[in-house]
Amino acid sequence: MPHDSRGPAGSARTAVVWEVLSAALAEAGPDLHVVDAGGGTGGFAVPLAAAGHRVTVVDPSPDSLAALQRRAAERGLGDRVTGLQGDLTELPGMVAAGSADLLLCHSVLELVDDPAEALAGSVGVLRQGGRLSLLAANRAAAVLARALAGHPDESAHALTDPAGRWGPGDGMRRRFSADALRELVSGAGLHVEQLHGVRVVSDLVPGAVLDAEPGAAAALLALERALSDRLPFRDIATQLHVLALRR
Ligand SMILES: C[S@@+](CC[C@H](N)C(=O)[O-])C[C@H]1O[C@@H](n2cnc3c(N)ncnc32)[C@H](O)[C@@H]1O
């Protein structure tokens, strides 16, 4: 997997996810079938296709799928990326059971009505030995962010709301704790192998600081890596990432 400043791998906001994925893919072998549920415009799908894998993106948004196809075509990867219009709950009817080596479910579980049901249905596309990469918003980060923004009421709401929402203005987006994600993944019948915090500090540092200080961006990336699996830092990250195995 390329780790350069042009792709997501070079960003402190996604580096930890790419590193976990790269290691899992290297172990699984070349030319894998990756299913990217809610893959949108291909921020993960296109680099994975560029790394030699076949990627099926299932997303309800026709605009996102059109952007995905353009992005893939621009890089000469049109034949390695397939976009299908559909919902996470429709995945089992759209992708053959047991056909995927890797299932990405990144920033999507926040948006579905019943995350447990959607996840349990989706993982059937994985072959035995295949892996799930699950990335989801962390409730604790929302609690801290609302308080730091000067909204203690919203912070308290995010803490106690069953879905981790901070109020009516927060739309439909759910948030999860590390324990809740472990439970969801185990409930879907998978074995949790790794759990990392993603964007522990990178959302807290203003971009201008990084631009002004030579070496600061690289230092931040190293710090993100170091904090991603250390408590208590992992559990206040903006997002949580789970890698899980279908045994
Ligand atoms: C925040 S974007 C994440 C895109 C991509 N997974 C990533 O991490 O860059 C959320 C995506 O989920 C899609 N989406 C929304 N509701 C969905 C659902 N019920 N099932 C599947 N995808 C959904 C949206 O169209 C959008 O492309």
Side-chain angles (χ1 to χ4, degrees), residues 133-144:
S133 170
L134 174 63
L135 185 64
N138 181 11
R139 178 200 291 258
V143 171
L144 289 174

Side-chain angles (χ1 to χ4, degrees), residues 38-40 44 59-61 64 87-88 106-108 111-112:
F44 283 89
D59 197 288
S61 162
S64 295
D87 199 78
L88 191 59
H106 289 181
S107 309
V108 179
L111 306 170
V112 301

Side-chain angles (χ1 to χ4, degrees), residues 6-105:
R6 289 163 294 154
S11 153
R13 292 162 58 88
T14 51
V16 169
V17 178
W18 280 110
E19 282 167 14
V20 171
L21 280 181
S22 298
L25 290 166
E27 189 190 316
D31 195 15
L32 301 172
H33 180 210
V34 180
V35 174
D36 190 354
T41 58
F44 283 89
V46 172
L48 286 168
H53 306 296
R54 290 161 288 120
V55 189
T56 304
V57 174
V58 177
D59 197 288
S61 162
D63 288 349
S64 295
L65 290 172
L68 163 77
Q69 294 297 357
R70 271 199 305 278
R71 206 167 173 179
E74 276 165 18
R75 295 191 58 182
L77 298 166
D79 58 341
R80 303 199 73 84
V81 177
T82 305
L84 302 174
Q85 192 180 351
D87 199 78
L88 191 59
T89 54
E90 295 172 305
L91 196 64
M94 302 180 78
V95 177
S99 70
D101 301 288
L102 176 68
L103 169 64
L104 304 190
C105 186

Side-chain angles (χ1 to χ4, degrees), residues 110-129:
E110 295 91 329
L111 306 170
V112 301
D113 289 337
D114 187 337
E117 189 182 82
L119 190 66
S122 308
V123 300
V125 303
L126 283 172
R127 66 167 169 82
Q128 219 176 354

